[in-house]
Amino acid sequence: MTTGRYAVSAMLAFGLAATCNATPATPGAQPSAAPRPVLDEEFADPFVLPLQDGSLVAFATNRRGKDGTALHVPMSTSQDALHWTAPREAMPQLPAWARADRPDLWAPEAIRAGNGYVLFFSARHATRRRPDGLTLCIGAAVSRDATGPYVPQPEPLTCGGEHGVIDVSPVRERSASGGEHLWLLYKTDGNCCGAPTTFVAQRLRADAQALVGEPQVIQGAVNDQPWEGHVVEAPQMVQHAGQWYLFFAGNDYGSGAYATGYARCDSPLGPCVDAGENPILRSRDGDPPLVGPGHQSVFEHAGRSWIAFHGWRPAEGGRPRYRAMYVLPLDWRQGRPVPRE
């Protein structure tokens, strides 16, 4: 979820950017079939959590339900990754530290820890301010059940530095000896105020309910590629066949320039090297078109890898445009993750 000056221009720029940044069709050719949403309603910044019974739980950024009721943490479930239930509330109560109206509760992700689950999210602090307004901080909520209800902690885990923090993602690092460490990845929200953005990793306590140690910048993860448009966000660290992969989104989330890439990393702290084939998901023509695919979630289900992400759907019948959830199989070809469109 991009904030700051990029978000200000997002709505105005969408029509032009979606056209200019989509993969051009061959003259005279019929539009190819682009991926279709698996949950065709507002479900932005999706995260998918596989459960031990083989089912899946997905969480998304706050939204209004069809009856106008606020959903702080929309949640949907699935048995096959392709058919999903209607979203319902996973965290009925807002955290006490967050702004009550328009809390901007964004991009929740969850992890199993101890005898339950911990849900992480970002939200606007009620009183803490940064140069452009209220600071975004990271919070946590706990539940015995993966589907909630999650109960938020009374204070944020961290608000970072001057510009706040956003886009939180838990990581489980298992050692060869069978031990494990938990990490929390997040983004410094410098693009709110014209400052550089970085990805940060910090150790989590064994129960995943508190941070320990000092935050450390993930080396090599910087917004320095043209396709990124000066913004990288939505970090997710995945280990596959002994190799660490940092998936992330880049560019203006409100336009067709928004896309998904990855880097290979030596550890959750880096150093990381961007893949030469980035972005691996981008806007393209089709019937319907795929517009602004990003804020990805890579997960394992039914013996294979998958990638969930959102994409923009057009305004219709008086309904404004919205970000629906897509899910595609993710193949690994000679160490490269390749979404199967």
Side-chain angles (χ1 to χ4, degrees):
M1 170 65 72
T2 303
T3 59
R5 63 189 179 92
Y6 294 94
V8 172
S9 64
M11 296 299 179
L12 295 176
F14 172 71
L16 177 62
T19 301
C20 293
N21 290 285
T23 303
T26 303
Q30 295 296 317
S32 61
R36 292 182 176 272
V38 296
L39 187 56
D40 195 10
E41 57 182 280
E42 178 71 17
F43 206 77
D45 307 324
F47 170 79
V48 178
L49 176 68
L51 303 184
Q52 292 177 326
D53 65 2
S55 64
L56 302 166
V57 181
F59 304 97
T61 281
N62 60 189
R63 52 163 281 189
R64 292 280 175 182
K66 293 182 178 179
D67 62 356
T69 303
L71 292 176
H72 303 137
V73 177
M75 179 200 63
S76 177
T77 60
S78 176
Q79 298 295 322
D80 62 3
L82 301 177
H83 302 87
W84 294 84
T85 61
R88 61 181 179 86
E89 181 65 79
M91 192 176 76
Q93 298 298 319
L94 284 174
W97 55 267
R99 178 173 63 178
D101 62 313
R102 294 185 298 112
D104 291 343
L105 205 154
W106 290 335
E109 298 197 10
I111 191 171
R112 181 176 178 83
N115 295 322
Y117 295 83
V118 181
L119 181 79
F120 303 96
F121 55 89
S122 59
R124 296 280 181 191
H125 198 281
T127 59
R128 183 166 175 152
R129 300 191 68 82
R130 67 186 191 186
D132 71 334
L134 291 176
T135 300
L136 280 157
C137 302
I138 289 170
V142 296
S143 174
R144 293 298 299 271
D145 191 279
T147 58
Y150 285 88
V151 178
Q153 294 179 337
E155 298 293 337
L157 291 177
T158 179
C159 293
E162 177 185 3
H163 301 118
V165 285
I166 192 173
D167 289 353
V168 61
S169 183
V171 180
R172 193 184 306 273
E173 180 187 21
R174 291 188 171 91
S175 66
S177 61
E180 70 174 33
H181 297 302
L182 299 182
W183 296 88
L184 201 62
L185 271 59
Y186 50 89
K187 171 196 147 184
T188 60
D189 204 28
N191 58 278
C192 74
C193 313
T197 61
T198 56
F199 293 152
V200 174
Q202 191 168 357
R203 287 280 298 277
L204 274 169
R205 201 169 63 191
D207 64 1
Q209 295 183 34
L211 292 166
V212 295
E214 295 298 320
Q216 302 178 65
V217 173
I218 299 175
Q219 299 301 312
V222 293
N223 51 325
D224 60 354
Q225 298 300 310
W227 73 269
E228 297 165 352
H230 306 293
V231 176
V232 289
E233 60 182 26
Q236 183 193 20
M237 193 73 73
V238 173
Q239 192 172 31
H240 178 80
Q243 172 69 58
W244 287 100
Y245 295 83
L246 176 64
F247 290 86
F248 59 93
N251 220 300
D252 177 0
Y253 87 100
S255 80
Y258 199 55
T260 299
Y262 77 96
R264 292 183 180 87
C265 306
D266 290 349
S267 77
L269 295 175
C272 301
V273 178
D274 283 350
E277 67 270 23
N278 281 342
I280 60 172
L281 279 172
R282 68 176 75 199
S283 295
R284 69 180 183 89
D285 290 341
D287 185 18
L290 179 64
V291 181
H295 209 114
Q296 75 300 317
S297 174
V298 174
F299 63 97
E300 297 294 315
H301 173 67
R304 64 160 304 120
S305 299
W306 304 75
I307 184 168
F309 55 93
H310 70 228
W312 285 102
R313 299 284 278 165
E316 291 181 333
R319 180 177 64 176
R321 70 192 187 108
Y322 58 95
R323 287 169 290 173
M325 180 171 71
Y326 296 73
V327 176
L328 295 175
L330 185 70
D331 295 333
W332 297 91
R333 302 176 186 171
Q334 298 180 329
R336 297 190 301 115
V338 181
R340 189 191 297 175
E341 297 188 40

